[in-house]
Amino acid sequence: MILSIMAAAAILMVVTALAGGYRINLTPSEPLGLWRIVSLHRQAAVDDLLFICPPETAAMRAARARGYLRSGSCPGGVAPLIKTVIAVVGQHVEIGVSVSVDGREVSSSSLALRDGKGRPLTPFPSGIVPQGYVFLHSAFPGSYDSRYFGPVPASGILGLAQEVFTYVP
């Protein structure tokens, strides 16, 4: 009886937290811990830290198969990403040894030629961010972001990512 009440209380807490936009980040791309999705009532802008659902593309299916994406509630059964917007519509993204946006190098944007298991990584071709898309980045060296999968539809944005209780290991 007591275990049933405790289980019901735990389920209620989880459902309430999810409904309130709270999420737990277990990836090294951003600090570990409790985060909250805050509504974004404007277009995404450079330097916005976002929760975003990746699109269901061949690149994302391959990323899921390689273990880059965790299971979650986004289309394709993946978890939302927490990434920073580094380019928006009309900006030119150059991908070489590192990433530049409109001629300015993005810090901590070196490209890896192989992932942590030695598998080859292919950078996304350089180009202009199209209408309705954003280009994402994480300063974490092993991050799988737009350097490799390109711009993503802004329609996948869930909201701003706000730290609630986090820590960096």
Side-chain angles (χ1 to χ4, degrees):
M1 175 72 168
I2 291 175
L3 285 178
S4 296
I5 292 171
M6 289 174 58
I11 290 170
L12 181 61
M13 285 175 40
V14 168
V15 169
T16 301
L18 290 174
Y22 290 91
R23 300 293 187 271
I24 294 176
N25 178 46
L26 299 173
T27 69
S29 289
E30 293 297 334
L32 304 176
L34 186 63
W35 290 73
R36 183 167 182 244
I37 300 171
V38 177
S39 294
L40 181 62
H41 300 289
R42 58 173 171 74
Q43 296 291 319
V46 171
D47 293 330
D48 281 346
L49 182 62
L50 303 174
F51 272 101
I52 187 167
C53 283
E56 290 186 83
T57 62
M60 292 303 171
R61 286 188 291 278
R64 176 81 191 269
R66 284 186 168 201
Y68 301 161
L69 305 175
R70 296 183 185 272
S71 296
S73 59
C74 290
V78 299
L81 306 175
I82 304 175
K83 303 288 182 198
T84 300
V85 176
I86 61 167
V88 294
V89 63
Q91 290 191 287
H92 183 263
V93 178
E94 182 72 32
I95 302 175
V97 174
S98 62
V99 177
S100 295
V101 176
D102 291 338
R104 290 182 303 276
E105 186 174 344
V106 176
S107 66
S108 303
S109 68
S110 298
L111 262 70
L113 298 177
R114 300 200 171 275
D115 67 11
K117 294 185 177 178
R119 299 172 292 197
L121 288 170
T122 304
F124 192 80
S126 302
I128 305 289
V129 178
Q131 180 70 38
Y133 284 73
V134 293
F135 198 92
L136 306 173
H137 175 68
S138 171
F140 176 70
S143 177
Y144 188 70
D145 54 33
S146 288
R147 290 175 277 192
Y148 307 103
F149 56 72
V152 295
S155 59
I157 295 172
L158 301 174
L160 295 169
Q162 179 184 63
E163 292 181 57
V164 176
F165 182 75
T166 62
Y167 70 97
V168 178

